[in-house]
Amino acid sequence: MASEDITKLAESLAKTKVGGRQLSFKGQSLKLNTAEDAEEVIKQIEEFDGLEALRLEGNTVGVEAAKVIAKALEKKSELKRCHWSDMFTGRLRSEIPPALISLGDALITAGAQLVELDLSDNAFGPDGVRGFEALLKSPACYTLQELKLNNCGMGIGGGKILAAALKECHRKSSAQGKPLALKIFVAGRNRLENDGATALAEAFGIIGTLEEVHMPQNGINHPGITALAQAFAINPLLKVINLNDNTFTEKGAVAMAETLKALRQIEVINFGDCLVRSKGAVAIAEAVKEGLHKLKELNLSFCEIKRDAALTVAEAIEDKSELEKLDLNGNCLGEEGCEQLQEILEGFNMAAILGSLSDDEGEEEEEEEEEEEEEEEEEEEDEEEEEEQQQQQSKERGQGEKESMTPKKILDSQDSTPVPSPPVDVATFLAFPSPEKLLRLGPKCSVLIAQQTDASDVEKVVTALLRISSVFKDEAPVKTAVHETTDALMKKAFSSATFNSDAFITSLLIHMGLLKSEEKIKAVPSLYGILMTLNHMVQQDYFPKSLAPVLSAFVTKPNRALDSCSFARHMLLQTLHQL
């Protein structure tokens, strides 16, 4: 290490905070690559008697540095709290698991009994969960009360690994007479989806001691929400449920409402941007009215709730003396509905708790048509679930076949399925995209979509690309199909003499909500799929390298939509930087 680097590190370490048996290197931007880089940090750790909390947030720790820090931690048996969020900035994903394994093994060797483990904002993906799996199953975590894994990109696979580790921890700790009593679980922005959420719900049901669950922005639909609701019902100490920005629909909302009736300690309900819709809101209002006397906050914003249902929610809180905030912004009340809502709350002397209604969508006129569309959407969801179950059953009947399912194999496997799935064409997929429909288009899906898309029309190409990328999953068959279809479409477009690349990137950024337009264009609801697809696209020969700086500039800029997909954003920026 150069002398000027050592000086800089020493100055930074001078800011190290020591207090309450806590050693903090938080936010010092230390770049610890080698054992030498970490010498001063190790010295501080070794000299700290009775260390109970170690903060490493806001630094970057490499594999070699992690090993020597771990060695220092092997003697810290009193360590209880590991604040290790955002400590792998700029690291390759392959570096993170071995670093976590070293640190975890050290805690096990030390005989530590952790109370809090925070690994949020580390973008380690499913493989990263393997890095602390052994730690979670060990005696070091039998005493764990708070587990925070926000914004780690775990995906479905990581969620399942995590759930299995928690169940194993509970089983082993119970055998010792002191069952795992987890109180706080945080795993927002992880793309857990239904399967990941369902696996975790099973673990929650076994644990039974949860007080706070935060799982916003995970792409969970009503099957996963229903599984969580059933698990929450057997966690009677729950105070906070934050499932913001998932997709309940009426089925999920009704299931969650039934659970709320059984819970007596609830203080915060955050179902904002969860599409509970009117019937779901009425069911939740009924649960609130029947009990929940400790409720302090109710968020049902941006849920497509109409006027009458919103007023029912308002009427339900009449005797909730602890309530501090009611958020019904972004729904469909209309001007008159907003006034009626305020009048009801004024009548209860509770007008001050109502949040802003500035983003109200206005009262819907064609209510019957909308309800029919909602029913059709739910029927389509049910059909897709049945298709997934049939595929799973067919896979299980295949006597343990473990190889990855390609689109061709899935199509071929339908020959032996008793009930054949309905045929899918390109138009149907592009109108109502889903992973299952893309796979059912067969091995020629990429060719078919490229052939039927006018490559000279920038808007049509952008629309097709967004529809394809919207079904992206980390699972091999879907990921492969999305990549192959994207390649066929974009190779055709960029090779066309009439295709305007600059117009393409401008339109794409507008549809992603990263660039403003004079026309009112609704941005895609989630950027995860398109960011992961772009991460693949920019590495291909057909992608004009002149567009990379433009894309990088807009993806780098602060944006709320990008914040919810920071793992995918990090992956794309890392790839663009390497071009």
Side-chain angles (χ1 to χ4, degrees):
M1 182 184 279
S3 59
E4 58 267 26
D5 291 333
I6 294 173
T7 302
K8 184 178 179 182
L9 179 59
E11 290 173 354
S12 183
L13 288 171
K15 302 174 185 175
T16 299
K17 295 178 182 177
V18 178
R21 296 200 169 187
Q22 171 179 283
L23 179 60
S24 176
F25 300 95
K26 182 178 179 180
Q28 295 183 19
S29 301
L30 302 176
K31 295 180 180 179
L32 308 177
N33 299 315
T34 65
E36 186 182 3
D37 294 340
E39 282 179 356
E40 288 295 328
V41 174
I42 294 165
K43 183 182 178 185
Q44 295 264 4
I45 293 172
E46 288 178 340
E47 292 178 353
F48 197 114
D49 292 330
L51 180 64
E52 291 187 2
L54 177 61
R55 307 195 77 104
L56 292 173
E57 311 105 304
N59 299 292
T60 179
V61 181
V63 176
E64 292 305 314
K67 285 181 181 178
V68 291
I69 291 172
K71 196 70 179 171
L73 290 175
E74 287 181 358
K75 299 176 182 177
K76 300 299 174 182
S77 60
E78 295 179 42
L79 189 62
K80 292 181 173 62
R81 298 184 183 273
C82 298
H83 302 279
W84 295 350
S85 64
D86 190 24
M87 59 179 261
F88 296 111
T89 305
R91 299 289 169 186
L92 297 173
R93 275 178 63 179
S94 59
E95 293 181 87
I96 302 176
L100 287 174
I101 288 171
S102 296
L103 293 167
D105 287 349
L107 297 177
I108 297 170
T109 301
Q113 293 185 311
L114 295 185
V115 173
E116 180 179 359
L117 177 61
D118 186 356
L119 292 170
S120 299
D121 301 315
N122 277 315
F124 44 59
D127 293 340
V129 185
R130 293 284 188 200
F132 60 93
E133 180 185 16
L135 173 63
L136 278 181
K137 293 179 180 179
S138 76
C141 285
Y142 290 178
T143 51
L144 196 64
Q145 295 180 13
E146 301 179 29
L147 179 58
K148 300 173 182 178
L149 300 166
N150 202 54
N151 193 29
C152 291
M154 290 190 291
I156 294 171
K160 288 181 176 180
I161 296 167
L162 175 62
L166 288 172
K167 288 191 289 185
E168 182 72 359
C169 181
H170 187 272
R171 185 187 68 78
K172 288 182 175 180
S173 58
S174 296
Q176 300 264 332
K178 294 182 179 180
L180 172 67
L182 192 66
K183 294 181 179 180
I184 298 174
F185 180 83
V186 182
R189 300 177 181 176
N190 271 294
R191 298 300 302 177
L192 294 169
E193 301 185 19
N194 289 333
D195 289 350
T198 301
L200 285 166
E202 188 178 337
F204 296 162
I206 292 170
I207 294 168
T209 56
L210 289 167
E211 295 181 9
E212 295 185 22
V213 175
H214 302 263
M215 295 174 66
Q217 298 178 351
N218 269 300
I220 309 171
N221 298 326
H222 72 77
I225 296 298
T226 300
L228 288 171
Q230 292 167 349
F232 292 165
I234 43 182
N235 279 266
L237 302 177
L238 265 173
K239 296 178 181 179
V240 178
I241 303 177
N242 176 8
L243 294 173
N244 189 285
D245 200 6
N246 289 291
T247 307
F248 281 42
T249 66
E250 179 191 338
K251 290 183 179 179
V254 169
M256 194 60 71
E258 285 302 309
T259 285
L260 291 174
K261 292 178 182 178
L263 299 175
R264 293 287 176 264
Q265 306 300 320
I266 288 291
E267 296 178 3
V268 177
I269 298 172
N270 186 345
F271 297 159
D273 205 10
C274 281
L275 205 67
V276 303
R277 294 185 174 137
S278 295
K279 290 181 181 177
V282 170
I284 292 169
E286 183 182 338
V288 171
K289 189 171 185 177
E290 288 183 12
L292 306 188
H293 295 293
K294 295 183 179 181
L295 189 64
K296 294 180 179 179
E297 181 178 334
L298 176 59
N299 184 348
L300 293 175
S301 60
F302 299 94
C303 281
E304 293 191 6
I305 300 170
K306 296 171 188 174
R307 180 181 62 181
D308 291 347
L311 298 181
T312 301
V313 172
E315 290 166 352
I317 66 167
E318 180 178 3
D319 63 345
K320 304 298 174 259
S321 58
E322 301 293 318
L323 196 65
E324 298 171 359
K325 183 179 180 181
L326 173 64
D327 194 346
L328 288 168
N329 198 17
N331 287 301
C332 310
L333 281 67
E335 188 176 344
E336 185 179 343
C338 290
E339 291 175 358
Q340 289 176 324
L341 180 65
Q342 290 167 333
E343 287 173 6
I344 288 172
L345 294 176
E346 285 172 2
F348 300 155
N349 197 26
M350 299 174 76
I353 70 167
L354 182 63
S356 169
L357 297 173
S358 60
D359 292 318
D360 186 74
E361 295 288 340
E363 192 167 9
E364 298 286 348
E365 294 178 1
E366 300 175 4
E367 293 186 359
E368 290 182 5
E369 252 182 51
E370 261 198 8
E371 286 173 3
E372 287 175 5
E373 287 174 7
E374 290 171 9
E375 288 171 5
E376 286 173 5
E377 286 173 11
E378 292 196 357
E379 286 171 6
E380 187 177 311
E381 289 173 6
D382 291 341
E383 288 172 4
E384 289 175 8
E385 282 173 43
E386 289 172 9
E387 290 162 16
E388 288 177 0
Q389 288 171 4
Q390 287 171 9
Q391 288 176 8
Q392 182 63 29
Q393 289 167 1
S394 177
K395 192 173 181 181
E396 290 169 358
R397 286 194 297 269
Q399 297 179 354
E401 180 177 329
K402 294 183 180 178
E403 62 180 356
S404 295
M405 294 287 279
T406 64
K408 184 177 188 304
K409 288 173 185 171
I410 286 178
L411 191 72
D412 291 343
S413 72
Q414 291 174 356
D415 294 339
S416 60
T417 305
V419 182
S421 298
V424 174
D425 57 22
V426 171
T428 302
F429 167 73
L430 291 176
F432 304 101
S434 73
E436 294 73 28
K437 290 192 183 81
L438 180 61
L439 294 176
R440 289 199 342 249
L441 281 171
K444 294 185 178 180
C445 61
S446 58
V447 176
L448 291 171
I449 292 176
Q451 284 177 345
Q452 297 185 38
T453 304
D454 183 359
S456 64
D457 189 323
V458 166
E459 286 302 315
K460 288 181 179 177
V461 171
V462 169
T463 299
L465 175 62
L466 290 171
R467 295 294 171 86
I468 294 164
S469 64
S470 71
V471 307
F472 179 90
K473 284 187 175 183
D474 287 316
E475 298 166 6
V478 179
K479 183 178 181 179
T480 300
V482 169
H483 285 173
E484 289 176 352
T485 308
T486 298
D487 289 343
L489 173 67
M490 299 314 303
K491 189 172 183 179
K492 177 185 176 184
F494 285 126
S495 62
S496 171
T498 57
F499 189 72
N500 188 326
S501 298
D502 292 335
F504 163 77
I505 198 70
T506 300
S507 176
L508 181 61
L509 291 168
I510 289 171
H511 283 277
M512 290 173 69
L514 306 183
L515 182 63
K516 290 184 179 180
S517 170
E518 293 180 1
E519 299 176 18
K520 191 174 182 180
I521 294 176
K522 189 174 182 180
V524 293
S526 172
L527 294 182
Y528 180 79
I530 186 61
L531 289 172
M532 294 300 284
T533 303
L534 283 168
N535 185 53
H536 168 80
M537 268 178 59
V538 299
Q539 300 178 63
Q540 308 311 309
D541 292 338
Y542 61 73
F543 186 81
K545 297 299 181 273
S546 61
L547 299 182
V550 179
L551 187 58
S552 180
F554 279 92
V555 175
T556 304
K557 290 170 71 175
N559 187 290
R560 186 180 175 185
L562 287 169
D563 289 343
S564 64
C565 304
S566 59
F567 169 71
R569 179 191 201 179
H570 170 77
M571 293 287 289
L572 176 56
L573 287 174
Q574 191 174 55
T575 301
L576 288 168
H577 181 70
Q578 293 170 354
L579 291 178

